[in-house]
Amino acid sequence: MAEAGSSKGQRRRDQIMNVLKRQGRITIQELVDRFGISEATARRDLELMEKSEPVIRTIGGAMYDGMNAVRELPFAEKEGLSFLEKERIAAAAASLILEGDVVGLSGGTTNYYLAKLLKTRRGITVVTNAVNVAMELAGSDINVVVTGGMMRHNSFELCGPLGEGMIGQLHIGKMFLGVDGVSSTGGITTYSEQEAHIAKAMIRRSQATYAMFDHTKIGRTSLFSIAPLSQLQGFITDEALPQQLASIAQTHGIQTVVADAQYGASV
């Protein structure tokens, strides 16, 4: 019976994929109406498809991503990409954090490395929407505030109105934001609509926002916008910026910190 149920579910997901290819996107309500399934089953189908198909989850549904060769990777796969560069970027970010700071950390591998560096420190409060970042800081002398919300399995980030509502009551000093793309025209972007929303909420409650990215993210524009460059106070990266992006950063007064090979940083 279990095998038959699994086969039926796979046939339904194949049909959903065909619909997505034809019309580009689909809502949870459309899935419920078209296939006669519950909302929970519809969400579970999209979650399974996101892991193996060119599908991007959106708020209230999903969209087809077959035209985009660059897709979101699960955290475990991201962790193995450019990890030396990310460690240097994390170390440079840690050098900007002082005792008494209230720090915001989004999800992503670079902030995970940053959490590892911070857990030996004292007198710091960390606000995070990432479950793995919070767990890394567990048992340390860091005060940890975890936002609420539904967890995205690809990134361990908590998203949704519950978390956004809580963030609206907080005051964050320095926000360190991992991004999937940064460009002079597109600003900072991400693959996930849910993560874009929670990132915007954290930026609004922060005095200074630092975008962290390695050189492979420069010039990329992912699907969902987080913020224009004018809303940022700092870049933390591993290589000097291209001339056009460096010029725009200077125009907006964005501090650019380039992590060197010794895990230090230059400005």
Side-chain angles (χ1 to χ4, degrees), residues 137-155:
L137 294 170
S140 70
D141 290 321
I142 300 290
N143 298 314
V144 181
V145 178
V146 184
T147 67
M150 294 289 291
M151 187 180 77
R152 294 194 70 246
H153 295 287
N154 270 359
S155 64

Side-chain angles (χ1 to χ4, degrees), residues 36 68 90 145 155 180 192 216 221 257:
N68 187 357
V145 178
S155 64
D180 294 318
S192 165
T216 65
T221 302
V257 178

Side-chain angles (χ1 to χ4, degrees), residues 88-241:
R88 292 201 296 269
I89 293 168
S95 71
L96 301 177
I97 298 172
L98 308 175
E99 185 174 349
D101 279 347
V102 177
V103 176
L105 300 184
S106 69
T109 50
T110 306
N111 266 331
Y112 179 70
Y113 292 134
L114 177 53
K116 285 179 175 289
L117 295 174
L118 292 181
K119 66 182 181 179
T120 59
R121 306 269 288 272
R122 296 181 178 220
I124 297 169
T125 297
V126 169
V127 178
T128 185
N129 69 313
V131 174
N132 59 331
V133 169
M135 288 301 298
E136 186 62 32
L137 294 170
S140 70
D141 290 321
I142 300 290
N143 298 314
V144 181
V145 178
V146 184
T147 67
M150 294 289 291
M151 187 180 77
R152 294 194 70 246
H153 295 287
N154 270 359
S155 64
F156 307 123
E157 288 199 50
L158 299 171
C159 301
L162 184 64
E164 293 171 32
M166 178 179 176
I167 290 167
Q169 303 176 52
L170 303 176
H171 296 279
I172 300 170
K174 300 169 183 174
M175 178 69 207
F176 294 89
L177 192 64
V179 302
D180 294 318
V182 56
S183 70
S184 54
T185 55
I188 54 173
T189 54
T190 180
Y191 294 108
S192 165
E193 185 179 16
Q194 295 98 322
E195 290 177 18
H197 275 273
I198 202 78
K200 289 176 182 179
M202 296 181 88
I203 290 172
R204 284 195 296 268
R205 303 304 299 172
S206 302
Q207 294 179 17
T209 298
Y210 296 84
M212 302 193 301
F213 51 89
D214 64 69
H215 63 278
T216 65
K217 308 292 178 60
I218 297 174
R220 286 189 181 182
T221 302
S222 297
L223 188 60
F224 297 103
S225 173
I226 298 174
L229 299 184
S230 59
Q231 290 187 15
L232 304 177
Q233 284 69 49
F235 286 153
I236 308 176
T237 186
D238 63 317
E239 290 185 3
L241 299 177

